[in-house]
Amino acid sequence: MEHIRVPKVENVCLVDRFSARKKVVGTLYLTSTHVIFVDPEGHKETWISHMHIGSVEKKTATANGCPLQIRCKNFLNVTFIIPRERECQDVCSSLITLSQPENLEDLYAFHFTASDATNRQNGWDFFDLKSEYLRMGVPNDNWSLSTINKDYELCDTYPRFLYIPATASTPIVLGSARFRSRGRLPVLSYLHRENQAAICRSSQPLSGFSARCEEDESLLQGIRKANPSSKYMYVVDTRPRINALANRATGKGYENETFYSHIKFKFLGIENIHVMRSSLQKLVEVCELQNPTMSTFLSGLESSGWLRHIRSIVDTSAFIARMIQEGVSVMVHCSDGWDRTAQTCSLASLMLDPYYRTIEGFQMLIEKEWLSFGHKFTERCGLIAGIDPKEISPIFTQFIDCVWQLTQQFPMSFQFNERYLLTIHDHVFSCQFGTFIGCCEKDRIDLRLRERTYSLWGYTSKYTSNFSNPFYQKSLEISQPIIVPVINPQSFKFWRAMYCRFESGVHPRENIIDIICMMKDHTESLDDHKKLVEKRIAVLNKLLGYAYGEESLMQAIQNLSSSESMDFRALLLNNTDNKNSEEIIKSSGTSPNSHVKNCLENYAEPGFEDGGTTRMSKSLVKDGVVSSGVNEADPVQIEQLLKELQSVAIEWKSLRNAVICSCAMPFEQHSKKHHCWCCGDIYCNRCIDRYVPLPGHDSSRPVPVCKACYKRLKYSPSPSVDDFQKLQEQA
C-alpha cells in the first residue's frame, strides 16, 4: 500500500474510444492488486489487474482534465480523464510502480488468497512428467530414462528427468551438452506409439564456422536408430537460414551436413523475437484505430505481418507432424531452444495426439513443453521491473493464437473452447497463480511455488463446464486421430475475440457456443426434473386410488393436469371419488410406505406389463424414491413435494439482454454468463460459486446456484400445504 499515492479519485471520466459523446463519470479506486472504476449510475464496475498493465501514459492536460491512457497485456485499452493534473500524476506514478514489481516474490501470486477456501495444493499434483512419458510407451528398448540431470547440473533449464536413446552413454550425453547452447542437448519430446517416430528438441550447436563434436553426432545417430522403421531423420532449424548464418559469427550456428550422415537438414524461416514483438505492436495499433475504414484496417493488418507469422509457425509444425506420420523422426531447434522450438514441438504434438486436444491433455502439453523444458516467461512477458525491453516478445501469445487457428479448422476435435485459451493467456500475465512464474522447472522449485501459490489448473478444474466445447466429438480420437491443417493464406483468421474482445459493437450479440451450452444445461435440468416429477405422480396416483382402477398412468396424469381449478388439499387428503387414502392405509394394516409399495407392485400399466410391475414402479422401489417422497408420519408429505417443485427453474432468462450482473460486474463479450439452475437468473463467475443438489432433480447431482438460492435451499423452513394454491395461481 505504500506505493499508492492516492487511493481514491472522484469525478473521473471513462472515455469510450469509439464515441467521444459516450462518457461515464464515476470513482477510481487504487488497491494493492487492482484499479477499479465504479459507475454509480449504471451500477457498473471495471476491474484492471495491476499485472495486466503494459504501459501507463499521462497525456497533455485539457480543459476537461488530464487524460491517463492504460494499455494492458490482455489488449484492453482504456482512457480516464482525471480532473486535476496532480492527481493524474499520482495515479500514473502509482500504477507504474505497482505494475512492475522489483522481485518475483512481489508478484500477485505470492499474496493472493482464494475467497472460497480452496486448497492451495489443488492442481499442483495433476501432472507428472514420468507418467506422461509412460503414456507414450517410454522407457522401452530404444529409449531410456536418464537421471544425469537430477540435480540440474547438466542443464539447469531442462527437467530433472531426461529421455535419451538407449544407446547413448554418459560421455556422449556430456559431450553433446557441452556442444549445445546453454547445455540444451537433444532429448525426447514426443514419441508416436504406432510407428516409433520421435520428436526431439535441443538448442543450436556451438559449431561456429568449422567446429564439430563427435559425441553430438553419435547422439543424433542414436536418435535416428531408435526409429527402426526409417533409415534417415530430419533436423529442422526453425530459423531463417540467414539468421543461422549470422549466428556462426558468434561461435554458434547450425549443424554441418558433412558430419551428420543419414540426416536431412531443413530451414523453415520463423522470425526471431524482435520481429514478433514489432509485429504485435503494429497489430495493436491497427486494433486501436478510431473508426477505421475497411481498406485502412485490412492494409494495417497486412503490414503488421501478424497472420503471416502465425501461418509460418503452423506450417513448420505441420511439416513436423507430417514427417512423424510418415514414420520419420525429427529433431527441432532454434537458437536457445525455448521459443520457436517450444511453439513448433507443442503444436506438432497437438496435431498428432488427440489426448493433447482434451482439457487435461492440453494442460499436460503446456506443462511438458513450456514449463518443464523451459520458456523465459519472466522476460518474454515482462513480469518484473528491470527486464530488458528487447527480451519481451509475444511467443506464448502466438502459440495460443495458433491453437485457436487449429480449433477453427477442426471445431469438433477439441474438447476445450475459445474461452479456455483466453483464460490461460490472461493468467500467464495476471500472475494470480504460480503456474507460469519462473523460466524453468528449477526456478519453480527454488521459489517453492507449490507451497506458496495456487495452481491455475486447480482453478480451471472447478469451472470445466465454462471451458467445454459443445461440438466436441470424442469418436474422432479413433476415426481422425491426426489433424494436419490447411496452410493456405485464406485459411487463417484474425482472432477478434483476443485482440478486440473489449470493444463493444464488434462482436455478435450472443456467443453461439454459450447459447448451445445454455440450451444443453437447461434441457438436462428439465429432463432431470421431469424424471422426479413422474415418480412423484406415480406415488400420488397410488395414494389417490388409481392403482385399483383400469386407467393407465398416462391417462391419470392427463386427468390431473387438465383440471382447471384443483384444490390440492382436498384432492390429496380427502378424495370423495375414492376411498380416503388414510382409511385405505389403516384398513390394510400396513405402514404408508408398505402400502405404496404394494400398490406399485400390484399395478400393471398397459403396454408395460412385465411380471405385474411397471417399468416406472420398478425404478421407484429400486431407487428408494417411495421412502424419500413419503414419510412414515405423513403419507403424502406435501411439503416435500412443494419444495421439489419450487427448487427448479422451468424458464431461464435469455442471454441477449443480460449486460451486467447483480454484483455490478459487466458482462463483456468474453465473459461467461451463468444461469442459476434454481431461479433461472444470470450471474457472473464470482456470484455462481456454489454447487448443490436441487430437491427437484432426480439425479441429486450438484448444480450451480446463486448465493441467494443457496441460502434459501440450505436454511429456509419447509413450505406449507397452502403454498400449493399459490403455486397453481402463479401458473
Side-chain angles (χ1 to χ4, degrees), residues 287-306:
C287 295
E288 292 179 353
L289 291 174
Q290 292 186 1
N291 302 317
T293 63
M294 179 64 77
S295 60
T296 302
F297 179 80
L298 292 178
S299 62
L301 181 61
E302 167 63 22
S303 63
S304 73
W306 184 255

Side-chain angles (χ1 to χ4, degrees), residues 50-307:
H50 293 328
M51 293 309 304
H52 272 155
I53 296 175
S55 65
V56 184
E57 182 180 358
K58 174 179 168 293
K59 296 184 176 293
T60 305
T62 65
N64 297 324
C66 188
L68 183 70
Q69 185 178 35
I70 300 175
R71 287 190 174 93
C72 298
K73 299 171 184 176
N74 61 348
F75 307 106
L76 172 65
N77 181 3
V78 295
T79 299
F80 297 109
I81 297 180
I82 299 176
R84 288 174 290 277
E85 186 173 3
R86 177 60 182 271
E87 288 181 329
C88 183
Q89 182 61 50
D90 288 343
V91 172
C92 180
S93 301
S94 299
L95 291 180
I96 290 175
T97 303
L98 292 168
S99 63
Q100 297 179 357
E102 293 292 331
N103 304 301
L104 284 175
E105 297 189 6
D106 295 329
L107 293 174
Y108 182 28
F110 293 96
H111 309 284
F112 169 69
T113 301
S115 59
D116 56 355
T118 301
N119 186 353
R120 196 181 293 270
Q121 301 299 319
N122 186 30
W124 287 111
D125 296 323
F126 283 4
F127 308 103
D128 176 68
L129 193 64
K130 294 171 72 174
S131 299
E132 172 57 14
Y133 278 95
L134 282 173
R135 187 189 67 85
M136 292 187 277
V138 181
N140 56 30
D141 293 339
N142 299 316
W143 295 92
S144 62
L145 168 63
S146 173
T147 58
I148 194 172
N149 197 44
K150 64 179 181 179
D151 296 321
Y152 304 104
E153 294 180 353
L154 180 69
C155 177
D156 60 358
T157 59
Y158 263 3
R160 64 174 65 190
F161 300 116
L162 303 177
Y163 291 84
I164 58 177
T167 57
S169 62
T170 299
I172 288 177
V173 172
L174 293 174
S176 178
R178 287 192 294 267
F179 187 65
R180 293 282 169 172
S181 177
R182 300 184 182 272
R184 296 172 66 86
L185 72 157
V187 294
L188 180 66
S189 169
Y190 175 77
L191 182 67
H192 196 280
R193 296 196 64 163
E194 294 183 5
N195 59 24
Q196 294 299 298
I199 299 177
C200 296
R201 56 181 295 172
S202 73
S203 61
Q204 65 183 338
L206 304 178
S207 57
F209 289 102
S210 59
R212 64 177 296 187
C213 176
E214 293 182 357
E215 291 86 357
D216 190 72
E217 296 162 16
S218 298
L219 184 57
L220 262 66
Q221 292 302 325
I223 293 174
R224 179 182 66 82
K225 293 176 181 177
N227 178 14
S229 61
S230 179
K231 296 182 179 179
Y232 68 96
M233 65 172 286
Y234 266 100
V235 170
V236 170
D237 193 327
T238 60
R239 302 169 293 179
R241 180 185 288 270
I242 190 171
N243 292 18
L245 284 170
N247 280 341
R248 278 194 162 185
T250 62
K252 301 177 182 180
Y254 56 93
E255 295 83 357
N256 190 327
E257 298 182 31
T258 306
F259 304 137
Y260 296 86
S261 59
H262 305 289
I263 296 178
K264 298 182 179 181
F265 295 86
K266 191 175 184 66
F267 291 93
L268 285 169
I270 302 175
E271 297 292 347
N272 60 30
I273 61 173
H274 312 296
V275 175
M276 301 306 186
R277 179 178 61 252
S278 175
S279 177
L280 182 62
Q281 290 173 350
K282 293 177 182 178
L283 179 68
V284 171
E285 291 172 2
V286 172
C287 295
E288 292 179 353
L289 291 174
Q290 292 186 1
N291 302 317
T293 63
M294 179 64 77
S295 60
T296 302
F297 179 80
L298 292 178
S299 62
L301 181 61
E302 167 63 22
S303 63
S304 73
W306 184 255
L307 287 180

Side-chain angles (χ1 to χ4, degrees), residues 340-361:
R340 289 164 283 197
T341 302
Q343 289 175 332
T344 53
C345 286
S346 51
L347 286 170
S349 300
L350 193 70
M351 298 174 191
L352 291 166
D353 197 329
Y355 170 67
Y356 294 135
R357 301 194 285 272
T358 65
I359 291 177
E360 176 188 310

Side-chain angles (χ1 to χ4, degrees), residues 292-494:
T293 63
M294 179 64 77
S295 60
T296 302
F297 179 80
L298 292 178
S299 62
L301 181 61
E302 167 63 22
S303 63
S304 73
W306 184 255
L307 287 180
R308 185 169 64 252
H309 298 314
I310 296 297
R311 178 180 179 271
S312 177
I313 297 168
V314 174
D315 188 11
T316 301
S317 306
F319 172 81
I320 298 170
R322 284 195 300 270
M323 292 301 101
I324 299 299
Q325 188 178 13
E326 294 173 8
V328 180
S329 295
V330 181
M331 202 271 284
V332 186
H333 71 75
C334 51
S335 295
D336 290 324
W338 49 32
D339 292 321
R340 289 164 283 197
T341 302
Q343 289 175 332
T344 53
C345 286
S346 51
L347 286 170
S349 300
L350 193 70
M351 298 174 191
L352 291 166
D353 197 329
Y355 170 67
Y356 294 135
R357 301 194 285 272
T358 65
I359 291 177
E360 176 188 310
F362 190 67
Q363 295 172 3
M364 182 70 252
L365 182 67
I366 293 175
E367 284 279 345
K368 177 167 65 77
E369 300 292 344
W370 294 85
L371 301 178
S372 293
F373 281 107
H375 174 67
K376 299 171 70 174
F377 283 103
T378 303
E379 285 79 6
R380 297 292 182 259
C381 300
L383 299 183
I384 59 176
I387 296 294
D388 185 354
K390 294 181 179 180
E391 287 293 310
I392 299 174
S393 190
I395 302 302
F396 193 78
T397 299
Q398 286 183 320
F399 166 68
I400 294 294
D401 196 330
C402 290
V403 175
W404 180 80
Q405 300 290 342
L406 293 178
T407 65
Q408 298 304 293
Q409 293 197 29
F410 302 94
M412 294 186 292
S413 297
F414 290 83
Q415 187 186 24
F416 50 84
N417 58 23
E418 177 182 75
R419 182 177 290 109
Y420 183 62
L421 297 175
L422 292 173
T423 300
I424 292 175
H425 179 268
D426 286 355
H427 284 300
V428 168
F429 294 97
S430 75
C431 297
Q432 181 176 339
F433 303 96
T435 305
F436 295 98
I437 294 176
C439 298
C440 58
E441 186 177 281
K442 182 178 182 298
D443 285 354
R444 297 179 183 93
I445 292 176
D446 292 342
L447 289 168
R448 295 190 299 112
L449 296 177
R450 182 184 294 263
E451 296 84 19
R452 303 171 65 190
T453 67
Y454 292 88
S455 167
L456 174 60
W457 312 135
Y459 165 79
T460 56
S461 67
K462 296 195 304 180
Y463 302 102
T464 304
S465 60
N466 293 4
F467 308 128
S468 298
N469 173 19
F471 303 116
Y472 174 61
Q473 297 292 328
K474 189 173 179 61
S475 59
L476 292 177
E477 293 184 6
I478 305 299
S479 60
Q480 191 183 14
I482 298 177
I483 58 173
V484 180
V486 177
I487 57 171
N488 296 331
Q490 59 269 30
S491 300
F492 291 85
K493 304 176 182 179
F494 170 72

Side-chain angles (χ1 to χ4, degrees), residues 583-637:
E583 294 176 359
I584 295 174
I585 296 172
K586 288 178 181 178
S587 63
S588 66
T590 61
S591 67
N593 276 355
S594 300
H595 167 71
V596 176
K597 290 182 180 179
N598 290 335
C599 291
L600 291 172
E601 292 171 356
N602 295 329
Y603 175 66
E605 182 183 345
F608 292 95
E609 292 83 4
D610 182 13
T613 308
T614 69
R615 295 179 185 178
M616 183 176 289
S617 64
K618 277 185 176 180
S619 64
L620 284 167
V621 177
K622 179 180 179 181
D623 296 341
V625 173
V626 173
S627 62
S628 63
V630 181
N631 189 277
E632 294 289 339
D634 183 1
V636 292
Q637 200 172 356

